[in-house]
Amino acid sequence: VTASKGLEEGTHRRMSEVLCEELGCEPARVVSLVGPSHAEEVSRRIPTSIVAAGAGEQTCRAVQEAFGRPYLRIYTNDDIVGVEIATALKNSIAIAAGILDGAGGGDNTKAALVTRGLSEIARLGTAMGARPETFSGLAGVGDLVVTCLSRHSRNRRVGEAIGRGETLDEALGKLGMVAEGVRTTRAAVELGRERGVELPIIEMVHRGLFEGHDPREAIQMLMARPPRAETAGAPSPGGKGERT
């Protein structure tokens, strides 16, 4: 069972793929246990719902039974590609949400960011063979919302510090914990280019983290992109995403 979220730098492998490679186990024996669940709240038994995703139905059900509690409801999902892509890339979007907060963005701006961020995640995920409906579930919109809005979110806090003008090193030093979205952003940008899927928000986060771009300029550049239809470029599962 892996509770890690992210993409491996260089290889762009998902966490379950890394686990299989390192342990030499069959994919059907690996389950990704993820979803909108800050540990601070689960430890206090605040009602929470998450997903046990994997290729093996029996394995997912075993994990569901082992970890389920009256305050922790677990759903199974056999679309591990979609679940892992969603929970990895949402951290990059959460950094963007934090940048907005630090730079003085409003609720309108963040609502647009979260919605369009979900669109980016779904485009890349479906281009990799994930099912579109996965991104409207707990691992998709659920985890994205909680990570972009919660005070517990490490990735959002890193983005907020950068939005206030701090460097990445300064932001990570103050955090004192892992913010998975930092390294995942680099891998996601590479993966998007490899798959022919444009990820404008994640690209802007990459520029802010690693290329020294001013966050306010990045926001303006996103808003100044050519107008398009909202649903333009939605790919079919396994197909390449058009640029939007």
Side-chain angles (χ1 to χ4, degrees), residues 61-211:
R61 287 183 178 178
V63 171
Q64 183 183 47
E65 182 177 347
F67 287 93
R69 295 291 185 275
Y71 56 90
L72 184 61
R73 183 173 176 81
I74 302 175
Y75 292 84
T76 61
N77 191 326
D78 62 0
D79 182 16
I80 191 169
V81 174
V83 164
E84 288 193 301
I85 289 295
T87 55
L89 269 60
K90 59 92 181 180
N91 285 324
S92 298
I93 304 301
I95 292 175
I99 290 174
L100 278 181
D101 289 337
D107 292 340
N108 294 351
T109 318
K110 185 178 285 188
L113 173 78
V114 172
T115 305
R116 297 309 303 167
L118 181 63
S119 178
E120 288 189 20
I121 294 169
R123 282 204 305 271
L124 182 58
T126 51
M128 296 178 66
R131 293 197 303 268
E133 61 266 25
T134 295
F135 302 99
S136 62
L138 288 168
V141 66
D143 212 354
L144 180 65
V145 167
V146 77
T147 310
C148 288
L149 304 184
S150 175
R151 67 186 186 279
H152 298 308
S153 172
R154 301 184 301 274
N155 292 282
R156 193 201 63 79
R157 284 157 58 190
V158 166
E160 187 174 5
I162 291 172
R164 292 195 301 264
E166 297 180 25
T167 66
L168 177 59
D169 287 340
E170 290 171 340
L172 293 176
K174 287 183 178 179
L175 182 68
M177 295 180 287
V178 174
E180 308 99 314
V182 173
R183 290 190 173 185
T184 294
T185 295
R186 181 181 281 135
V189 166
E190 294 173 353
L191 184 58
R193 292 170 181 171
E194 176 186 298
R195 295 277 178 164
V197 179
E198 189 181 36
L199 307 171
I201 296 174
I202 297 177
E203 288 266 8
M204 289 298 177
V205 172
H206 186 277
R207 293 177 185 178
L209 292 178
F210 305 114
E211 300 174 27

